[in-house]
Amino acid sequence: MNASTLLLYKNILFMGNSVDVSLMSYYTSGLLYLNMQRDKNSVLLMINGKKIEYENNYNKLDHIITINDLNNYSKKAIRTYSFGLLEQEFCVISSFGSKNNRFSHKSANFSLNDIFYNNKYGNSSSAVIQKSEQLKYFHLLIQIYSKNICQSEKSLLNKIQSPSIISSYEAKNFGIIDKIL
């Protein structure tokens, strides 16, 4: 039995690598499995991830949106526990837990704007199409993030205008997490 299976038996899903097809398969099947269990326990999503460069960020953004949708339709509450440096998609995913169930280690740091201003999007031959697709994902992520952290889209846009790594205490005040452990 591998570590992922052992964690799954304890209602824990771990994200520590890039959000790619293999992580999505693991997360989707794990969440479906846990939702089919008769116990009333919540799902603990442990998150620790660093920036990874991608050739095509559209897939990554699509995966982030899918994780948000899966969490919203889960029968079980999703608790998040964030630790380490959370960059790009991992900072956004940290906000996906159920309200009052989003936790962080006190030494965790969150990078707010990496995901929004990384310009490696797609292989579109037309700069106009590429810019249009980038803006569509940008606005969708802003809407999701804004809803999860209970901040207005305008407030969020103001906060992510410049590079910003915030502490777990600042993340709590900003609404990404609810409690520091």
Side-chain angles (χ1 to χ4, degrees):
M1 198 177 299
N2 65 26
S4 295
T5 304
L6 290 172
L7 290 172
L8 196 57
Y9 285 139
K10 299 286 187 182
N11 284 9
I12 299 171
L13 294 169
F14 176 74
M15 285 188 182
N17 295 327
S18 62
V19 175
D20 58 14
V21 173
S22 63
L23 179 87
M24 285 306 300
S25 295
Y26 160 75
Y27 188 77
T28 303
S29 62
L31 193 58
L32 287 170
Y33 169 79
L34 293 174
N35 272 286
M36 293 180 66
Q37 300 306 304
R38 294 181 189 256
D39 65 24
K40 304 243 187 251
N41 295 334
S42 59
V43 175
L44 175 59
L45 174 57
M46 299 190 82
I47 308 162
N48 176 8
K50 297 196 178 195
K51 183 188 306 188
I52 295 174
E53 295 300 325
Y54 293 88
E55 288 297 316
N56 182 341
N57 276 354
Y58 288 123
N59 292 337
K60 177 175 63 171
L61 296 174
D62 184 51
H63 295 327
I64 295 167
I65 294 164
T66 300
I67 290 168
N68 181 68
D69 291 344
L70 287 169
N71 289 357
N72 287 337
Y73 291 105
S74 175
K75 292 187 273 183
K76 296 186 178 203
I78 306 292
R79 295 180 298 138
T80 56
Y81 181 72
S82 305
F83 55 99
L85 177 59
L86 296 117
E87 296 181 293
Q88 289 189 346
E89 65 269 25
F90 296 102
C91 182
V92 177
I93 293 168
S94 294
S95 74
F96 287 0
S98 305
K99 294 294 179 202
N100 299 316
N101 284 298
R102 300 173 303 167
F103 306 101
S104 170
H105 188 272
K106 65 182 176 181
S107 66
N109 290 291
F110 299 78
S111 178
L112 286 180
N113 63 344
D114 283 350
I115 190 102
F116 299 104
Y117 293 110
N118 189 331
N119 292 319
K120 293 184 179 181
Y121 290 92
N123 296 320
S124 175
S125 58
S126 167
V128 173
I129 293 171
Q130 185 175 4
K131 185 68 172 176
S132 173
E133 291 171 353
Q134 182 179 358
L135 286 172
K136 178 180 78 173
Y137 275 109
F138 177 83
H139 287 293
L140 186 54
L141 275 176
I142 290 291
Q143 289 171 353
I144 290 169
Y145 207 23
S146 173
K147 178 182 167 234
N148 287 335
I149 65 173
C150 298
Q151 293 270 342
S152 70
E153 290 180 27
K154 183 177 180 180
S155 171
L156 179 57
L157 286 169
N158 287 336
K159 184 68 175 177
I160 64 171
Q161 289 297 321
S162 59
S164 179
I165 294 180
I166 61 174
S167 71
S168 56
Y169 297 97
E170 292 168 306
K172 182 177 185 259
N173 291 336
F174 196 65
I176 297 170
I177 58 170
D178 300 311
K179 187 175 180 182
I180 299 166
L181 303 176

